[in-house]
Amino acid sequence: MDIDFIIESILFAAGRPVKIKTLSDVLNISSRDVIESFNRLKTGYERENRGVKVSMINDSIVMSSNEVYADYIKKALGLDIKQGLSQAALEVLSIIAYNQPITRIDIEKIRGVKCEKAINTLLDFNLIKEDGRINAPGRAILYSTTDDFLKYFNLPSLKDLPPLDDIT
């Protein structure tokens, strides 16, 4: 059997990122072989401008729809085209991305306004997650970004966030 097709099938069936190590263990091949297969799949999808693509997120591989066809997907699935993130939610998300893990109180100190609604929206979109609690009185929740955040913004890892100097 062709390893590329097996990996493609696993990624399609998973519907979420699959760790390279998991693919390596299941297929009894090296991580390098998994990455080479990923590169062949990615090149093929890009060359043919296919409806799906594969991306590497941290130490995982994910199959997703090609954003070129997003409008068609939204129409076909009845997704609200106007649905999205507010300016406040985007501000909170960027604060979390660059300062994670971080508490709501620390986010509010940076923004100067309350942000509970924005945090709830980001949790609903699965762009952030609760990432433990601080070891201090009150045990405030720590927030960090998720793999869906990386996927949404097409980032392989948090290291690929633009430096703050470039965006100010």
Side-chain angles (χ1 to χ4, degrees):
M1 289 195 168
D2 188 307
I3 296 297
D4 293 358
F5 297 151
I6 296 170
I7 290 176
E8 181 180 48
S9 296
I10 292 169
L11 295 174
F12 176 80
R16 59 175 172 70
V18 178
K19 296 217 176 280
I20 292 169
K21 180 167 181 3
T22 300
L23 293 169
S24 172
D25 291 347
V26 166
L27 298 171
N28 199 26
I29 60 176
S30 70
S31 293
R32 169 180 255 148
D33 289 338
V34 172
I35 293 169
E36 287 173 3
S37 176
F38 160 78
N39 287 327
R40 285 190 299 273
L41 288 168
K42 181 177 174 153
T43 300
Y45 290 142
E46 289 172 351
R47 183 179 56 245
E48 297 174 18
N49 201 25
R50 302 278 302 269
V52 294
K53 67 177 187 171
V54 290
S55 305
M56 197 168 298
I57 298 175
N58 288 327
D59 59 348
S60 300
I61 301 172
V62 65
M63 178 179 279
S64 60
S65 60
N66 186 334
E67 58 270 355
V68 170
Y69 306 111
D71 289 339
Y72 299 103
I73 295 167
K74 289 175 185 177
K75 286 179 188 175
L77 300 179
L79 300 174
D80 182 7
I81 295 171
K82 294 180 181 177
Q83 185 180 27
L85 297 176
S86 67
Q87 182 65 34
L90 286 170
E91 288 173 10
V92 169
L93 183 57
S94 66
I95 290 168
I96 293 170
Y98 283 98
N99 297 285
Q100 61 188 305
I102 188 171
T103 66
R104 178 184 54 82
I105 292 168
D106 290 333
I107 297 166
E108 290 173 351
K109 284 179 186 174
I110 293 169
R111 284 195 71 226
V113 294
K114 293 208 174 281
C115 63
E116 192 168 327
K117 183 178 178 191
I119 287 175
N120 287 333
T121 298
L122 295 170
L123 286 166
D124 289 344
F125 275 92
N126 197 39
L127 295 173
I128 64 169
K129 64 183 177 185
E130 293 184 7
D131 199 15
R133 294 181 177 265
I134 60 170
N135 195 13
R139 308 259 309 139
I141 298 169
L142 291 165
Y143 295 98
S144 64
T145 57
T146 64
D147 283 346
D148 283 351
F149 164 81
L150 296 173
K151 189 171 145 184
Y152 187 83
F153 289 99
N154 201 23
L155 296 167
S157 73
L158 290 172
K159 295 175 190 166
D160 295 294
L161 282 169
L164 283 175
D165 297 346
D166 291 353
I167 39 182
T168 54

